[in-house]
């Protein structure tokens, strides 16, 4: 705060100064995705050294399909968490939505697209009810969604005839979590994605420079695009390796279809949060609801919409989970799903206190959760140990969140 | 100064539940002038301002803007007329940056997408127009700003919109000497540019330094609205503490009990 340059008309900062800014932010308590990235690297190194099969192509592919459902639910939870609210019912909401789809698909013989649509509409309706109870009646979201947590288990039981297991035989639905893109399509999508990202970054920088605004330097953009290309390229390469135990009989290669599904959701919701007025208002309500109200923002509508998005994403998460399990039963979306989803968002850097978070956090945190579950499974730990460790990881990330908030307030960043 | 008031209130009543905070308040604000609104803690200054800004609905009374009777039903209505308020409890979002705060609720868009570049340019121009050069980057979060800088952002947010009336609720209460002087200078400059400015302050020196008129609230009633040049410090202090001073002020026997 010592420099007194005019706010506009500043040339592109050198990469060194951007790196310095970043470390300053981290020291000031704004850790962002740092814990998740470090955690991911450490966990991968540990599991890889303890269990040789962790790094096998088949296990790498498993990580994606295992973590997909939780990650998608976590993406929706980010919206609710951004407002400083919580949705404890998101797990069972996904179960109810999956049950709706399974019953319509298998018992009623609906085509897959109407069954999926009905499932998503169910999610939206659930979100409307939850959001209205929180925003209009002012019941704490903790209580509303805890009640829904219980009630949805009952609804799932009713839908599934007191507990039968409804299997899914529709090819399209099964493909989501069980089929792969062709290796060629994987590469094509990768190249297209990286080029698109580079194009957006470059045009943005050029536009800002031409208007005399501070823009990212070419070096920074090159580093970003390069990092994306290397990481995503490595992932596509490994996923395109043969991972069948018996390639002569059945070949198993390519990027699982859930991966592009998740990426599309990531891009869409990131766009909504970062590039639209609606997204800006979500952050504003989460940061200071009274300020948002005084700015003329309809705070109730933002609240309700966040719950709608959360439950809608839960329905997609439920569909993916059903696809992976090939069936829906009363425990779909139950057990640890919700805790893992909340954990994923928080581990990724989304704050439980509201106002801070990104959809990408859900992806990073979801990767951490998937690696923990998967790695411990490979090493043969029992469910008891997995529960305890995952609980500890959630507590740890919530602790990091609380501490960094404390640190931020003492360093004047909040 | 025979100018017509740009904003005029008549007979404003406002209660919170059983507590009546404003009684039959009249208040006028003139273009090109700084009107100081003074009164003891709890006199109802902030409440009056929030009624003007549409944050609180008024129970009864008339609201005139540029001579027309208007109905203000929310913050957007007030903003649409050109009435901007810098609230005592600063209405800034700590987790947003300076530009985002200045345009909050009124974002510039091109199609669906936020037009960040235009917003940043306009914010830069406004801050430069206010001769503010103390912020490092318009993209830093408001949480990292000092009290004076936050106050400056809040004021810049208010003048960004070609506003006609800018109301500042105790803008200098939390500031040091140098920052206070800067903000007061800014207040005077706004009025000299033709805006109607309302300044709420407890500091008599500040009030006499920048204001053209003084309105004194006493226990929710408007004790007097006078020209600054026609009164003394001690008269204003009496109006604030007793509701009357000589022939100025409320008639005797008209206290809070009414
Ligand atoms: N939202 C509210 N609900 C109930 N009482 C309020 C509210 N806002 C202000 N008051 C009361 O109204 C009175 C005037 O408050 P205020 O307008 O803040 O005074 P000032 O700004 O002059 O110090 C105080 O007694 C205060 O307690
Ligand atoms: Mg006040």
């Amino acid at each position: 705060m010592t420099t007194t340059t005019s706010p506009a008309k500043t040339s592109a900062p050198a990469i060194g100064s951007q790196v310095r800014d970043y470390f300053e932010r981290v020291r000031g308590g704004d850790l962002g995705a740092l814990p998740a990235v470090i955690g991911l690297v450490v966990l991968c190194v540990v599991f890889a050294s303890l269990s040789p099969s962790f790094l096998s192509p088949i296990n790498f592919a498993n990580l994606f399909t295992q973590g997909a459902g939780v990650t998608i639910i976590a993406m929706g939870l980010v919206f609710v968490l951004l407002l400083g609210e919580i949705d404890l019912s998101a797990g069972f909401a996904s179960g109810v939505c999956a049950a709706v789809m399974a019953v319509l698909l298998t018992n009623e013989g609906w085509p897959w697209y109407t069954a999926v649509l009905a499932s998503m509409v169910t999610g939206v309706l659930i979100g409307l009810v939850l959001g209205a109870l929180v925003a209009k009646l002012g019941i704490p979201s903790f209580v509303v969604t805890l009640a829904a947590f219980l009630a949805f288990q009952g609804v799932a039981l009713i839908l599934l005839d007191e507990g039968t297991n409804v299997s899914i035989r529709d090819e399209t639905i099964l493909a989501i979590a069980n089929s792969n893109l062709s290796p060629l399509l994987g590469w094509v999508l990768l190249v297209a994605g990286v080029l698109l990202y580079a194009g957006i970054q470059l045009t943005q920088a050029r536009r800002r420079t031409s208007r005399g605004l501070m823009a990212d330097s070419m070096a920074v953009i090159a580093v970003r695009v390069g990092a994306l290309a290397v990481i995503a390229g490595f992932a596509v390469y490994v996923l395109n390796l043969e991972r069948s135990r018996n390639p002569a009989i059945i070949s198993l290669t390519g990027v699982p279809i859930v991966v592009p599904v998740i990426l599309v959701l990531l891009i869409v919701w990131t766009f909504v949060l970062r590039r639209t007025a609606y997204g800006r208002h979500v952050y504003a309500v989460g940061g200071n609801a009274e300020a948002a109200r005084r700015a003329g923002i309809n705070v109730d509508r933002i609240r309700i919409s966040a719950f709608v998005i959360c439950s809608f994403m839960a329905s997609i998460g439920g569909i993916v989970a059903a696809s992976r399990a090939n069936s829906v039963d009363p425990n779909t979306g139950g057990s640890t799903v919700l805790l893992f989803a909340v954990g994923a968002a928080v581990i990724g850097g989304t704050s439980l206190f509201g106002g801070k978070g990104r959809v990408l956090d859900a992806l990073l945190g979801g990767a951490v959760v998937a690696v923990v579950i998967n790695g411990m499974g490979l090493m043969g730990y029992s469910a008891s140990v997995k529960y305890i460790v995952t609980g500890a990881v959630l507590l740890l990330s919530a602790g990091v969140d609380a501490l960094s908030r404390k640190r931020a307030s003492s360093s004047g960043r909040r | 100064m025979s100018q017509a008031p740009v904003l005029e209130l008549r007979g404003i009543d406002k209660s919170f539940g059983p507590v009546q905070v404003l009684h039959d308040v009249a208040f006028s604000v003139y273009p090109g002038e700084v009107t100081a609104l003074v009164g003891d803690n709890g006199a109802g200054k902030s409440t009056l301002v929030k009624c003007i800004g549409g944050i609180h609905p008024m129970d009864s009374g008339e609201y005139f803007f540029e001579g027309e009777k208007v109905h203000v039903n929310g913050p957007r209505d007030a903003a649409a007329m050109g009435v901007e308020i810098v609230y005592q409890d600063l209405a800034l979002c700590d987790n947003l940056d300076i530009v985002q705060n200045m345009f909050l609720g009124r974002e510039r868009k091109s199609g669906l997408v936020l037009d960040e570049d235009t917003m940043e340019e306009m914010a830069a121009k406004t801050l430069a127009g206010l001769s503010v050069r103390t912020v490092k980057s318009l993209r830093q979060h408001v949480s990292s700003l000092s009290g004076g800088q936050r106050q400056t952002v809040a004021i810049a947010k208010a003048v960004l919109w070609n506003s006609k009336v800018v109301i500042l609720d105790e803008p200098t209460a939390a500031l040091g000497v140098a920052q206070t002087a800067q903000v007061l200078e800014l207040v005077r400059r706004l009025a000299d540019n033709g805006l109607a400015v309302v300044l709420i302050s407890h500091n008599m020196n500040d009030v006499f330094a920048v204001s053209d008129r003084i309105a004194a609230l006493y226990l929710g009633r408007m004790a007097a609205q006078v020209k600054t040049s026609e009164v003394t410090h001690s008269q204003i202090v009496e109006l604030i503490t007793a509701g009357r001073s000589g022939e100025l002020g409320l008639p005797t026997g008209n206290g809070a009990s009414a």
Side-chain angles (χ1 to χ4, degrees), chain A residues 112-187:
Chain A
W112 69 269
Y113 42 90
T114 45
V116 164
L117 191 68
S119 169
M120 290 174 169
V121 169
T122 307
V124 168
L125 291 178
I126 288 173
L128 274 176
V129 172
L130 297 178
L133 289 173
V134 172
K136 295 293 182 190
L137 288 190
I139 312 175
S141 58
F142 170 75
V143 177
V144 169
T145 59
L146 193 58
F149 171 83
L150 198 60
F152 290 164
Q153 299 183 49
V155 173
L157 278 175
I158 294 172
L159 286 170
L160 299 169
D161 271 341
E162 300 303 321
T164 53
N165 178 319
V166 178
S167 64
I168 290 172
R169 286 181 290 270
D170 184 274
E171 292 296 324
T172 314
I173 299 299
L174 289 179
I176 299 173
N178 298 301
S179 301
N180 307 301
L181 304 177
S182 73
L184 178 65
L185 187 55
W187 285 120

Side-chain angles (χ1 to χ4, degrees), chain A residues 1-8 10 21 24 30 82 204 207-208 210-214 271 273-298 354-356 411-414, chain B residues 50 54-56 75-76 87-96 99-100 103-107 109 112-121 124 127-128 132-146 149-150 157:
Chain A
M1 206 72 27
T2 44
T3 37
T4 53
T5 46
S6 162
T10 320
D21 279 358
E24 211 170 277
D30 183 6
L82 272 176
Q204 192 170 317
R207 199 184 56 229
R208 288 181 63 86
S210 75
R211 297 179 73 156
L213 297 167
M214 188 146 71
F271 174 82
L273 270 185
R274 306 213 63 92
R275 294 276 174 256
T276 69
Y278 168 76
R280 181 70 36 88
H281 296 171
V282 169
Y283 280 102
V285 172
N288 185 344
E290 180 58 21
R293 188 174 84 88
R294 290 183 193 172
I297 294 168
N298 189 332
K356 179 171 158 271
S411 73
R413 282 195 167 266
R414 202 171 245 282
Chain B
K50 285 177 181 167
I55 299 287
H56 294 322
R76 278 192 200 265
Y87 292 100
Q88 183 172 13
D89 36 350
L90 291 179
L92 298 177
C93 290
D94 277 349
N95 60 333
L96 298 182
V99 181
Q100 291 170 341
F103 282 85
L104 189 60
R106 293 179 277 193
E107 290 83 3
K109 285 176 274 189
L112 246 184
V113 188
L114 291 170
D115 188 352
E116 298 284 357
D117 299 348
T118 303
M119 289 195 277
E120 194 169 328
E121 274 177 1
L127 283 169
V132 174
R133 273 182 304 274
T134 55
V135 290
K136 188 165 136 199
S137 158
L138 287 176
R139 288 298 178 185
Q140 70 192 96
H141 280 192
V142 162
S143 57
S144 66
L145 299 180
S146 72
Q149 289 174 321
R150 294 166 66 94
K157 177 184 180 181

Side-chain angles (χ1 to χ4, degrees), chain A residues 57 60 187 190 230-242 254-255:
Chain A
F60 190 65
W187 285 120
L190 169 80
V230 167
I231 294 171
F234 175 75
V236 171
Y237 168 75
V238 175
L239 289 171
N240 279 347
L241 293 175
E242 180 62 60
V255 177

Side-chain angles (χ1 to χ4, degrees), chain B residues 46 88 169-170:
Chain B
S46 296
Q88 183 172 13
D169 195 350
E170 304 204 21

